[in-house]
């Protein structure tokens, strides 16, 4: 090798041995697998459990396919621009070609695209509207609070039933949800049933959803609403009509009041509740607070704190003692001033409230 200007000869270039698997392909594969793992489960729009959600999934596939076609077409056009220009065209011909692209790509294509997508989107949206039906559907009112859910059944036969952090609905029939918010904007979304819809303070939004079969579905507040947003889960369960009616009947004002006040063993717990908790919480027959969740049927729930803590023996005490650690920033004051006996007495009593 000839040396130039006294510089040392370039180091011999080593042949780079290729790794056994291509790293890019590996990354792509794991990315796709990760994305696919979101396709099933409690919160997946690709695993619908009702008519509205099936429509939403259809639109999703239509839009994905359409977007793929557009991507391929645009890529083809982009490659086409690398072709050598036809220099034999006169300026007038050039202008005509340019105009064709503008009219075709800028007007015809978007108009056709938008019409095609509307043809799918409008009927789906219409299905979720609360239009009049021959037989009026069950109405369930859901109010978003920072960071819990209030659920009311205005059509219950023995007067309005109120519960919190659980939404029990009849299966196999349309249900109208009237949603609103008490403080900031929240989002009502049960992905496997359809939706979603904003919950706005001072306004009632309506959406009609249906669950084909009885089952349990996940729901999560779908609008960033403050520090507790991630801990704002809603337990949704669809029951056969007869079980749903029995569920409502067990939560009449009288039945709940009887449940809360009948056991003399919890007299002191009830007294403590009236002193320390009644200003914020309602327990039918005992108190009427509305700042926090209604606790009248607390013992029958599956979770505490909107999905924060599983309901099991002693869970209510755990909540009362540690709720600011379990759900940081939540709107219930820490009760460090109350001793263990008082709190566990309250917990034991509330856990018996199982209609
Ligand atoms: C200043 C109002 C306030 C007071 C006083 C208060 N709470 Fe709460 N409580 C709340 C709020 C707000 C929540 C909802 C917290 C969340 O999940 O974000 C809550 C949640 C709860 C929950 C969980 C409910 C659920 O649906 O999962 C229980 C149980 C509870 N409180 C019991 C009590 C008891 C017992 C007392 C009395 C020692 C008490 N609270 C005092 C406001 C209050
Ligand atoms: Cu929220």
């Amino acid at each position: 090798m000839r040396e130039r200007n006294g510089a040392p000869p370039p180091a011999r270039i080593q042949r780079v041995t290729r790794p056994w698997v291509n790293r890019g392909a590996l990354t792509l594969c794991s990315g796709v697998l990760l994305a696919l793992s979101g396709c099933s489960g409690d919160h997946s729009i690709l695993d619908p459990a009702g008519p509205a959600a099936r429509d939403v999934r259809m639109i999703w596939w239509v839009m994905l396919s359409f977007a793929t076609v557009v991507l391929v077409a645009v890529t083809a056009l982009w490659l086409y621009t690398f072709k050598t220009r036809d220099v034999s065209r006169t300026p007038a011909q050039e202008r005509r070609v340019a105009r064709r692209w503008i009219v075709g790509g800028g007007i015809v294509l978007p108009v056709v695209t938008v019409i095609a997508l509307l043809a799918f989107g409008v009927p789906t949206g219409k299905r979720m509207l609360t239009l009049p039906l021959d037989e009026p559907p069950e109405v369930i009112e859901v109010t978003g609070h920072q960071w819990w859910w209030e659920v009311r059944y205005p059509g219950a036969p023995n007067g309005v039933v109120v519960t919190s952090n659980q939404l029990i609905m009849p299966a196999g029939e349309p249900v109208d949800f009237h949603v609103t918010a008490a403080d900031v904007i929240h989002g009502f979304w049960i992905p496997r049933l359809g939706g979603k819809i904003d919950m706005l303070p001072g306004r009632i939004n309506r959406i009609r959803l249906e669950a084909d079969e009885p089952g349990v579905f996940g729901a999560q507040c779908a609008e960033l609403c403050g520090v507790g947003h991630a801990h704002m889960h809603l337990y949704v369960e669809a029951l056969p009509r007869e079980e749903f009616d029995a569920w409502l009947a067990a939560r009449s004002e009288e039945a709940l009041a009887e449940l809360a006040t009948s056991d003399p063993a919890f007299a002191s717990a009830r007294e403590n509740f009236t002193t320390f908790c009644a200003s914020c919480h309602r327990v039918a027959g005992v108190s009427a607070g509305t700042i926090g969740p209604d606790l009248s049927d607390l013992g029958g729930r599956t979770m505490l704190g909107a999905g924060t803590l599983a309901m099991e023996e002693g869970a209510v005490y755990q909540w009362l003692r540690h709720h600011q650690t379990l759900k940081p920033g939540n709107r219930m004051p820490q009760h460090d001033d109350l001793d263990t006996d008082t709190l566990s007495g309250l917990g034991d009593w509330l856990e018996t409230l199982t209609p």
Side-chain angles (χ1 to χ4, degrees):
M1 194 174 289
R2 217 187 69 190
E3 284 190 32
R4 254 175 280 149
N5 309 332
R12 207 172 141 246
I13 295 166
Q14 288 249 307
R15 197 169 160 264
V16 183
T17 44
R18 295 204 145 224
W20 179 64
V21 239
N22 182 314
R23 237 194 249 158
L26 199 68
T27 315
L28 188 72
C29 280
S30 27
V32 168
L33 281 179
L34 203 68
L36 284 176
S37 68
C39 292
S40 65
D42 226 15
H43 292 90
S44 174
I45 62 151
L46 295 182
D47 190 10
R54 267 193 298 279
D55 282 4
V56 170
R57 178 181 62 175
M58 220 254 291
I59 293 194
W60 191 89
W61 281 117
V62 168
M63 289 187 73
L64 180 71
S65 326
F66 204 86
T68 309
V69 171
V70 171
L71 177 71
V72 169
V74 170
T75 310
L77 286 175
W78 173 64
L79 293 174
Y80 175 73
T81 61
F82 290 117
K83 251 186 61 174
T84 18
R85 271 182 96 112
D86 184 355
V87 282
S88 65
R89 279 187 199 145
T90 65
Q93 281 173 325
E94 277 290 323
R95 271 200 301 280
R96 216 168 32 242
V97 172
R99 215 163 31 235
R100 255 182 241 156
W101 280 111
I102 291 169
V103 172
I107 300 174
V108 178
L109 185 69
V111 167
V112 171
T113 310
V114 168
I115 289 177
L117 289 177
L118 280 180
F120 283 100
V122 170
T124 302
K126 198 168 165 215
R127 191 196 278 274
M128 286 187 254
L129 292 181
T130 51
L131 300 171
L133 291 180
D134 292 341
E135 200 177 318
E138 188 76 40
V139 170
I140 302 181
E141 298 170 354
V142 188
T143 306
H145 294 256
Q146 282 176 316
W147 291 275
W148 57 280
W149 309 83
E150 175 187 344
V151 183
R152 300 167 63 89
Y153 299 81
N158 303 317
V160 184
V161 166
V162 186
T163 184
S164 312
N165 293 332
Q166 61 175 351
L167 196 169
I168 309 297
M169 61 188 280
E173 59 184 85
V175 177
D176 283 1
F177 293 96
H178 295 184
V179 307
T180 186
D183 34 44
V184 299
I185 302 179
H186 298 275
F188 181 74
W189 192 26
I190 314 172
R192 294 193 60 210
L193 299 187
K196 81 189 72 147
I197 193 160
D198 278 350
M199 310 174 91
L200 306 172
R203 192 194 145 86
I204 294 171
N205 278 339
R206 295 174 169 80
I207 188 168
R208 178 170 293 161
L209 300 175
E210 180 174 342
D212 297 328
E213 308 269 340
V216 174
F217 312 104
Q220 175 75 33
C221 179
E223 188 70 53
L224 183 60
C225 57
V227 65
H229 172 65
H231 286 296
M232 198 171 156
H233 184 80
L234 177 63
Y235 173 89
V236 180
E237 182 167 5
L239 297 176
R241 191 22 115 161
E242 322 78 70
E243 282 179 41
F244 174 73
D245 287 338
W247 184 89
L248 277 184
R251 280 158 183 78
S252 70
E253 179 82 28
E254 303 83 70
L256 289 175
E258 165 77 15
L259 184 68
T261 55
S262 58
D263 194 338
F266 294 116
S268 73
R270 276 190 291 271
E271 210 167 289
N272 287 331
F273 191 85
T274 312
T275 312
F276 301 113
C277 324
S279 55
C280 293
H281 291 288
R282 173 177 176 265
V283 168
V286 178
S287 64
T290 53
I291 293 171
D294 192 301
L295 304 177
S296 306
D297 64 349
L298 187 77
R301 313 264 195 82
T302 54
M303 300 291 275
L304 285 172
T308 305
L309 183 65
M311 185 63 154
E312 47 197 35
E313 217 184 308
V316 177
Y317 169 75
Q318 292 301 326
W319 169 266
L320 295 179
R321 185 50 91 204
H322 304 293
H323 63 87
Q324 284 299 342
T325 313
L326 295 162
K327 185 167 177 173
N330 82 75
R331 292 278 162 91
M332 170 158 148
Q334 188 71 43
H335 283 96
D336 288 336
D337 48 329
L338 300 183
D339 60 28
T340 304
D341 282 351
T342 309
L343 288 189
S344 64
L346 281 165
D348 290 346
W349 170 57
L350 289 171
E351 282 177 21
T352 65
L353 306 181
T354 52

